[in-house]
Amino acid sequence: MIRIPSRTPAHALLTLSAVLTPLATGATELNLDGVKRYSGSAASEEQVTSITQFSDVQPTDWAYQALSNLIERYGCVAGYPNGTFKGRQALTRYEAAALLNACLDRITEVTDELKRLMKEFEKELAVLKGRVDGLEAKVGELEATRFSTTTKLNGQATFVLGANGFGGSARSAVEAARQEVGATTFNYDVQLSFDTSFSGKDLLRTVLRAGNFGSTAFGGAGPTGNLSTLEIAFQEASGADSVGIDKIFYQTPIGGGFTATIGGRVGQEDMLALWPSAYPDDTVLNLLTLNGAPAAYNKNLGPGAGLWWQSNGWAISASYVAATGNLGNPSTGGIGNGNSQGTGTVQLGYGTERWTLAAIYSAVQSGVALPGATPFTTAVFEGDSPSRTDAFGLSGSWQPASAGWIPSISAGWGINSTRYANSQEAGSLTTSQSWMVGLQWSDVLAKGNALGLAIGQPIFATALSGGETPRDGGVALEAWYKWQVSDQIAITPAIFYLSRPLGQDTPAGESFNQLGGLVKTTFRF
């Protein structure tokens, strides 16, 4: 048995395999002349330097290239005196050993040179080997500990330390608010998102979430309701610290630029191909994250489905969500009936890397929890009286080409018309509006940090039935600075001010305002 050294070049092995293949049926007689010739002791005229010297070797032969490389690079192949190679002739084991010995002698010369180079770069090679071994160990550890080959886990944990203060001449309302939600609080929100792909292009997203904001002004408690709700604030309906399925939906491209979404618990915003805002990089008040049109961009959550199309910057989206679509009793829920608490949305938009513009329409049933509305309009939208609101919004954003003194600008406006199934008394809501403008500076003081300012009005009544005059308006402002401590940790101090958060419910001739301050710490993993 001939043992081939591990360093023997591949083309040499290929040629030798071609030579040695006939041995099973080859000659059994020892040919001493052949042994001498292949051992390198034969006359030099029999040693070939080019494959063209063999009259019986053609370029179409399967081992032609390998034999050529063996001759030209190592010069260890000899022919017969008549100028032939006789590649199909049987070879004895002695002749094969002599041929292999001649080739190995030439290969050894190259090996000695490689040994010299390896000696010269011994330290560098040792460092590289150590790094490779370390990487292999880490890859092995990751492969051994990963829980799925198709699922990726993204996590976010947020701590919020803050307080709310109330002021104004409406002393009884101020004191009541302080007693209810005036304490300093420390709250958390945790989100675990499992993203699974079966084809590399589709997405099954499952989000587990838990929090304890329900009894704070940051979570919507108190007389000002959702106006002071933070975008990050969350608490399961079953209570604080309860873990629940926040979202579960499946999304897949279906060809022609179309993407379909269906889910047992999916948000309206998950089925929009375009989000027309560059604000904010780090969120504070939820009402200032909704493109100036909280009724149209209401983030309704429940069973739903949607379809969007994208091409050359253009995007069209259509979706339907029923907040009570999981209930079997038609008097309290279901899909496509009067108690579905549904939102049907159509959006048309265009976007580039630097700017976006979108128009949106949403048909909103009564019972839908609108984020960012005065207490008066919230009572209408979420009330028991059957109603429908046609919500329109126009929003857009622009970003500078690079970070600097010029901020990105995001703005939006919304107008809503409400109709009722039953007759209403004078003073009922018929028309409401909202708007916002947000400015954001990137890489402020250090790369990765950001500064944001925003002003706007939540959904407020602008027309009432019976010709009555609404007095529901109020302004919301916020300012924040995000300090990116590391790739995974950010600290964001923020303040916000609500000039008239009770709106229409503010005691006549009196004032009521709210000031909030907080420090938010976000961990991403």
Side-chain angles (χ1 to χ4, degrees), residues 148-165:
S148 172
T149 59
T150 60
T151 302
K152 180 179 180 181
L153 169 64
N154 295 299
Q156 178 175 297
T158 305
F159 295 161
V160 175
L161 173 64
N164 288 268

Side-chain angles (χ1 to χ4, degrees), residues 48 50-59 61 64 79-86:
V48 297
S50 173
I51 196 171
T52 58
Q53 295 177 237
F54 293 133
S55 60
D56 60 341
V57 177
Q58 304 299 323
D61 292 333
Y64 179 88
Y80 289 88
N82 62 356
T84 61
F85 179 66
K86 298 183 180 180

Side-chain angles (χ1 to χ4, degrees), residues 13 45 57 59 68 92 132 159 204 206 259 309 337 339 426 445 515:
L13 297 178
E45 62 267 20
V57 177
S68 177
T92 67
V132 170
F159 295 161
L204 173 64
T206 306
T259 297
W309 171 84
N337 62 39
N339 297 305
L445 301 181
L515 177 67

Side-chain angles (χ1 to χ4, degrees), residues 37 40-49 53-54 77-83:
R37 178 166 62 251
S41 62
S44 60
E45 62 267 20
E46 295 178 6
Q47 188 71 42
V48 297
T49 58
Q53 295 177 237
F54 293 133
V77 176
Y80 289 88
N82 62 356

Side-chain angles (χ1 to χ4, degrees), residues 390-412:
D390 295 313
F392 299 88
L394 185 63
S395 310
S397 66
W398 174 86
Q399 300 182 70
S402 59
W405 292 104
I406 301 176
S408 66
I409 302 173
S410 301

